[in-house]
Amino acid sequence: MAKGKRFRLGLFLALAAAILALQSPTARAETITVTHWGGQFYGLPYAVAMEKGFFKKNGVDVSGILTAAGGGTAVRNTLAGGIPFGEVSLAAAVQAINAGQKLIIIGAGTWSVADQMWLVKKDSTLQGIKDLAGKQIAYTAPGSVSNMLILMALKAVGMTPQQVKLVPAGDLGANISAVGSGAVDAGFSDELIYAQHKELVRPLFMVRDVLDPRMMQTVMITTAEYAKAHPDIIKGLVNARREGMAYALDHPDEAADITAKAYNNPNVELFRNHVRELIKVNYWSDGRLDYPAMNHMVEGLQITGQIKGDIDWPKYVDTSYLPADLRPTQ
């Protein structure tokens, strides 16, 4: 073959390879969104999946996770990510769909609030939730899960919101600070934050002692358009998360270490203890949806006035991207 022809053939093959690489779903590293990445433990299955190569194994190259402070921000970040896929609060997903966003819920994330609690100062005379009558109770923000939980907990023990003063204090750190300074009588926390402040505070009540803790906190979402155009990518993400979760259940300490590293948090032993506790309470779903747990969260949305009426889940959910054994029946 003449030198010129060989050169042209080589150039053609190189260009063809480049085009194929650009068209390949695994050629370009992408980002996805997980609410409260770096803080809360919704992100553990994704951290493990990245570290152990489960995303690439399933045909998706996830290079990083976008975080969000929750609510609508997480949904907006999902839509802006390299791949419009995210794990966000069920409340935010429902509200976005109600507002006209062409989103679909494709699977479950976390389905328990068993690790959540209200704290008081260590020397407080309060002994239980009913002692909060006439007291100031902190939560994170209006419409948040903590806002729902305190209203549901009060209702469960026969109290009304009018019997207490509810104070939106900010994130969990701000709640601890408000309790420690005496600005409020009780503040919202989870077990990990509490474990780091045991010298200052103690639990007044655990949510699981007052309410059924099975409540769908987070769900996986994407856009209907993207899922239809790229079903293999969406299925790959779901499968990778499932594999990350399964690995974490079998190797909890390693999963905790991976998550601490991904979150740039030096409290490895606290992470290990917390992950073990979360596994005990069946905190994470493997992706399968639980409609009673979803409806329990809807009760919270109703009690805070964020939605009216029940949810017709088939209009919000598409389980066809889940593995067959994870597709639920209502």
Side-chain angles (χ1 to χ4, degrees):
M1 183 182 293
K3 183 177 180 182
K5 288 184 178 180
R6 285 199 302 270
F7 174 79
R8 288 194 295 274
L9 178 60
L11 181 61
F12 172 78
L13 292 174
L15 288 171
I19 291 170
L20 286 172
L22 287 172
Q23 291 176 339
S24 168
T26 61
R28 187 174 64 180
E30 297 282 13
T31 57
I32 58 175
T33 299
V34 176
T35 188
H36 294 288
W37 173 263
Q40 301 299 300
F41 279 71
Y42 312 126
L44 176 140
Y46 301 93
V48 174
M50 277 200 298
E51 179 70 19
K52 306 306 291 188
F54 297 145
F55 285 118
K56 289 184 179 179
K57 174 188 170 186
N58 283 280
V60 190
D61 189 1
V62 174
S63 61
I65 309 290
L66 297 175
T67 188
T73 304
V75 174
R76 288 189 292 274
N77 283 3
T78 297
L79 295 174
I83 299 174
F85 171 96
E87 183 166 324
V88 307
S89 77
L90 176 64
V94 167
Q95 290 171 315
I97 294 169
N98 284 347
Q101 295 278 5
K102 303 301 182 183
L103 299 171
I104 51 175
I105 295 169
I106 56 174
T110 57
W111 54 10
S112 176
V113 293
D115 70 319
Q116 299 181 9
M117 67 187 79
W118 264 262
L119 301 171
V120 293
K121 290 178 79 169
K122 209 162 186 178
D123 60 357
S124 171
T125 59
L126 303 180
Q127 297 299 316
I129 184 172
K130 290 190 175 182
D131 293 336
L132 289 172
K135 306 298 184 182
Q136 292 193 319
I137 311 173
Y139 63 99
T140 58
S144 64
V145 170
S146 62
N147 188 188
M148 299 177 200
L149 290 177
I150 190 58
L151 292 175
M152 294 171 77
L154 290 170
K155 181 179 179 181
V157 299
M159 295 175 67
T160 67
Q162 290 71 36
Q163 290 178 264
V164 300
K165 178 163 179 60
L166 297 176
V167 181
D171 63 18
L172 272 62
N175 271 250
I176 288 281
S177 296
V179 172
S181 68
V184 298
D185 297 289
F188 179 66
S189 183
D190 65 14
E191 288 182 342
L192 181 65
I193 298 297
Y194 161 60
Q196 297 174 69
H197 297 86
K198 285 185 175 181
E199 76 290 346
L200 178 67
V201 294
R202 62 174 174 83
L204 178 67
F205 72 93
M206 302 290 297
V207 169
R208 63 177 180 253
D209 295 333
V210 180
L211 300 170
D212 179 355
R214 181 54 62 91
M215 184 181 294
M216 189 70 70
Q217 283 202 65
T218 61
V219 290
M220 293 179 278
I221 63 168
T222 187
T223 66
E225 180 182 11
Y226 187 88
K228 186 176 181 181
H230 305 282
D232 290 343
I233 292 180
I234 296 303
K235 290 177 181 178
L237 290 165
V238 171
N239 287 334
R241 182 196 176 278
R242 184 187 194 183
E243 291 183 29
M245 192 65 254
Y247 190 90
L249 295 178
D250 289 337
H251 308 88
D253 285 350
E254 183 183 353
D257 295 351
I258 289 170
T259 307
K261 177 183 174 184
Y263 285 11
N264 295 313
N265 192 308
N267 296 303
V268 174
E269 195 56 41
L270 285 176
F271 269 54
R272 288 187 172 194
N273 291 336
H274 192 50
V275 168
R276 293 189 204 111
E277 289 301 315
L278 293 177
I279 289 174
K280 284 181 185 177
V281 299
N282 193 21
Y283 181 74
W284 294 276
S285 167
D286 54 8
R288 74 187 71 218
L289 291 165
D290 180 328
Y291 288 105
M294 294 163 74
N295 287 329
H296 198 197
M297 176 61 77
V298 170
E299 290 176 36
L301 292 170
Q302 293 166 337
I303 202 170
T304 55
Q306 295 178 73
I307 65 167
K308 295 180 180 179
D310 297 328
I311 298 294
D312 185 6
W313 290 117
K315 295 180 180 178
Y316 295 73
V317 170
D318 184 344
T319 60
S320 65
Y321 301 97
L322 288 172
D325 64 313
L326 298 186
R327 295 173 194 166
T329 57
Q330 251 180 311

